[in-house]
Amino acid sequence: MSYTSVKGMDDIVPPQSCLWADIEKKARHIFESFGFYEIKTPVVEKTELFTRGIGTATDIVEKQMYIFTDKNGDSLALRPEGTAPVVRAYIEHQLYHPDPYQKLYYMSPMFRYERMQKGRTRQHMQLGAEVFGASSPRIDAEVIFMLTQFYQAIGIENFKVQINSLGCKACRPGYREKLLAHFRHRISELCEDCKKRLEKNPLRILDCKNEQCQKVAVSAPQMTNHLCAECRAHFEGVKTSLNQLNVTFEVNPNIVRVLDYYVRTTFEIVSSDLGAQSALGGGGRYDGLVAALGGPDVSGIGFGSGIERLIIALEKKVPLGSATPQNYVDLFISALGPKAQAFSYGLINKLRLQGVRAEVDYDDHPLKTQMKKADRMNSRFVLIIGEDEMNKGEAILRNMNTKEQKSIPFGDILNEMEKNT
Ligand code: HAM
């Protein structure tokens, strides 16, 4: 009997994992430069956090959550998204005290029981960031700017920033009525899903991928034409700030998002390299969510971006067994004979502590086999130490790129490698 991973939940093995580590490292660097601190929350939360936080009329809550009952009889869910847990932690640890302004980021697996396709898995790794306690449209633009800077830093150039405003408690209900009237009038033209969605969540019809629904949506009223004065001013502020930061964007009235907590700004960064699941990342403002989950009335804005989609956009699926710059070994020590083996064992672990990625053959194969092994590992250098070398206190250092080799005293190994790098 052999086992495979659960459908839609993939292993990330080397050397692909090196690429992931590189993306995570760059994300940390950029997010921290913008003043964000990392937060880690558990993979499992009480189910109610998501039903209240995300909204009962969303696909995530209706169909996609992994829910189970624990031995205590509590209903728990694997985290389908990161915002509600971060808000929960923000409230639980009173991170709003003494100043509500907090910037937090996370890199966490998310779980959604979805129909699988390219760029859509049942476990995905999300990089996310949340800002609490800042209502200015300047922060909305800054969060979008940071995300675009991150994409550029990892080498993704082909993307578009699309923004929208979903209004607020004051202006959205009136708009919703207008939208309902539009779709009720043409209900027969909608897909079965949208017919069901109509009364509960008419906004979601705007981003239905069904061609027929899209035709009906084209002539639908747009939220941006029905914003109250405050929301209009806020949206104008976001656009002005994005221009100030030289972020090219377009307004897309159909960016309604899959979660119910959004107000005012919503955005998605899309790429034509991705296929049907075209969003590299997305997010928006969720003023009111902190209060709805039992905290003070603090505003919030953030985004999430799945690493799997970044990898697709980078087109860097590295085939197993091939080298990436990250999986190079710096030095392979080929020790021949018991004395050299004992010496090398000490040396290798000393070199590792000095930051050299060093490997050795633990099975004491003959030199030829060891050289083949060094090659397979993509080692940059091989250090050959036999009985003779032990007696002289020297080793043969071979540069695997140039194939040059020379005898050097043990103490000069690092210097010599640096000179030849
Ligand atoms: P979301 O749009 O549901 O937003 O997910 C954010 C990103 O996660 C997507 O743009 C995509 O890159 C990735 N993603 C989502 N579902 C999948 C999937 N099934 N397979 C692969 N990748 C996926 C949120 O989750 C919000 N919490 C984002 C946010 C933070 N809004 C405010 N703050």
Side-chain angles (χ1 to χ4, degrees):
M1 167 102 193
S2 67
Y3 296 96
T4 55
S5 71
V6 174
K7 198 169 162 197
M9 304 194 183
D10 298 328
D11 299 314
I12 312 297
V13 298
Q16 198 71 19
S17 54
C18 301
L19 185 57
W20 279 60
D22 198 38
I23 290 173
E24 287 170 6
K25 191 169 157 194
K26 290 196 173 116
R28 272 179 212 287
H29 176 70
I30 291 182
F31 297 173
E32 285 170 14
S33 311
F34 277 77
F36 287 76
Y37 286 94
E38 187 167 13
I39 181 165
K40 291 175 187 290
T41 61
V43 172
V44 166
E45 297 276 352
K46 292 183 183 137
T47 306
E48 202 192 332
L49 174 72
F50 298 114
T51 45
R52 286 192 54 199
I54 299 174
T56 44
T58 58
D59 283 353
I60 294 182
V61 166
E62 273 188 348
K63 308 183 208 158
Q64 296 171 352
M65 280 213 285
Y66 283 89
I67 297 175
F68 64 97
T69 308
D70 73 1
K71 289 198 161 70
N72 198 30
D74 293 329
S75 177
L76 305 178
L78 294 185
R79 165 181 58 196
E81 66 97 46
T83 309
V86 171
V87 170
R88 196 254 321 125
Y90 176 81
I91 299 166
E92 187 169 338
H93 300 279
Q94 299 187 2
L95 299 182
Y96 49 81
H97 188 74
D99 184 353
Y101 182 61
Q102 281 280 352
K103 290 159 117 176
L104 304 166
Y105 77 89
Y106 46 91
M107 301 183 179
S108 321
M110 308 291 166
F111 303 84
R112 298 181 191 177
Y113 192 82
E114 297 210 67
R115 218 162 15 90
M116 278 154 33
Q117 59 180 166
K118 185 177 168 196
R120 200 203 254 159
T121 52
R122 291 184 177 163
Q123 173 182 317
H124 72 276
M125 180 61 98
Q126 208 179 101
L127 307 174
E130 314 290 352
V131 181
F132 295 98
S135 310
S136 162
R138 290 197 303 262
I139 199 85
D140 304 36
E142 212 171 85
V143 159
I144 296 171
F145 174 65
M146 179 174 85
L147 188 54
T148 61
Q149 293 306 299
F150 163 60
Y151 290 156
Q152 280 169 9
I154 60 172
I156 298 179
E157 298 289 343
N158 178 22
F159 61 77
K160 276 191 188 152
V161 176
Q162 302 191 327
I163 63 167
N164 189 22
S165 175
L166 293 184
C168 66
K169 273 203 299 240
C171 52
R172 201 187 305 165
Y175 168 69
R176 191 178 183 276
E177 284 311 312
K178 292 197 167 65
L179 201 58
L180 268 175
H182 173 82
F183 286 128
R184 275 192 197 126
H185 188 60
R186 300 181 62 176
I187 190 161
S188 59
E189 296 168 59
L190 299 176
C191 73
E192 287 313 305
D193 272 353
C194 284
K195 277 181 188 149
K196 279 186 229 149
R197 271 182 196 138
L198 179 60
E199 298 300 325
K200 282 199 279 185
N201 202 348
L203 256 81
R204 289 283 287 136
I205 301 174
L206 293 174
D207 81 341
C208 178
K209 301 286 179 276
N210 182 295
E211 229 173 85
Q212 199 52 37
C213 296
Q214 283 180 355
K215 272 191 200 149
V216 184
V218 169
S219 52
Q222 298 182 354
M223 183 71 235
T224 42
N225 294 330
H226 296 84
L227 297 172
C228 61
E230 286 85 356
C231 287
R232 205 175 320 125
H234 193 273
F235 195 44
E236 288 309 311
V238 175
K239 291 194 254 178
T240 306
S241 306
L242 283 173
N243 284 328
Q244 219 180 327
L245 294 171
N246 291 320
V247 176
T248 310
F249 65 90
E250 52 196 44
V251 175
N252 178 350
N254 296 342
I255 302 289
V256 294
R257 313 280 299 130
V258 292
L259 305 130
D260 263 4
Y261 47 60
Y262 292 112
V263 291
R264 292 192 171 165
T265 315
T266 51
F267 60 91
E268 278 184 4
I269 301 192
V270 296
S271 170
S272 55
D273 292 341
L274 288 182
Q277 295 306 312
S278 62
L280 282 169
R285 187 162 272 289
Y286 47 86
D287 304 347
L289 181 61
V290 179
L293 293 178
D297 189 12
V298 169
S299 58
I301 175 159
F303 64 78
S305 185
I307 296 187
E308 290 78 358
R309 292 191 193 174
L310 304 182
I311 305 264
I312 295 172
L314 284 167
E315 284 188 336
K316 269 198 190 165
K317 274 224 175 282
V318 189
L320 254 185
S322 74
T324 71
Q326 296 93 333
N327 78 337
Y328 269 31
V329 165
D330 294 317
L331 180 70
F332 185 93
I333 302 186
S334 176
L336 307 161
K339 233 163 108 185
Q341 279 151 11
F343 172 74
S344 301
Y345 192 55
L347 178 66
I348 200 172
N349 285 301
K350 228 187 267 166
L351 288 172
R352 284 170 176 162
L353 293 177
Q354 293 177 51
V356 179
R357 269 192 207 213
E359 280 301 335
V360 71
D361 176 31
Y362 293 96
D363 294 324
D364 309 328
H365 285 109
L367 180 63
K368 204 167 153 200
T369 316
Q370 295 201 28
M371 293 303 283
K372 273 194 196 150
K373 195 165 179 170
D375 232 4
R376 264 203 312 277
M377 287 184 174
N378 277 301
S379 190
R380 293 192 298 125
F381 293 93
V382 173
L383 192 73
I384 304 165
I385 313 176
E387 292 294 315
D388 266 7
E389 284 74 28
M390 283 307 293
N391 293 337
K392 284 192 272 180
E394 287 190 350
I396 299 165
L397 185 70
R398 182 177 167 87
N399 184 323
M400 296 295 275
N401 271 336
T402 61
K403 310 290 177 213
E404 280 166 27
Q405 58 183 51
K406 61 166 143 176
S407 238
I408 48 157
F410 290 151
D412 287 354
I413 299 170
L414 279 186
N415 274 349
E416 201 56 40
M417 280 174 63
E418 261 164 34
K419 261 197 266 163
N420 286 285
T421 299

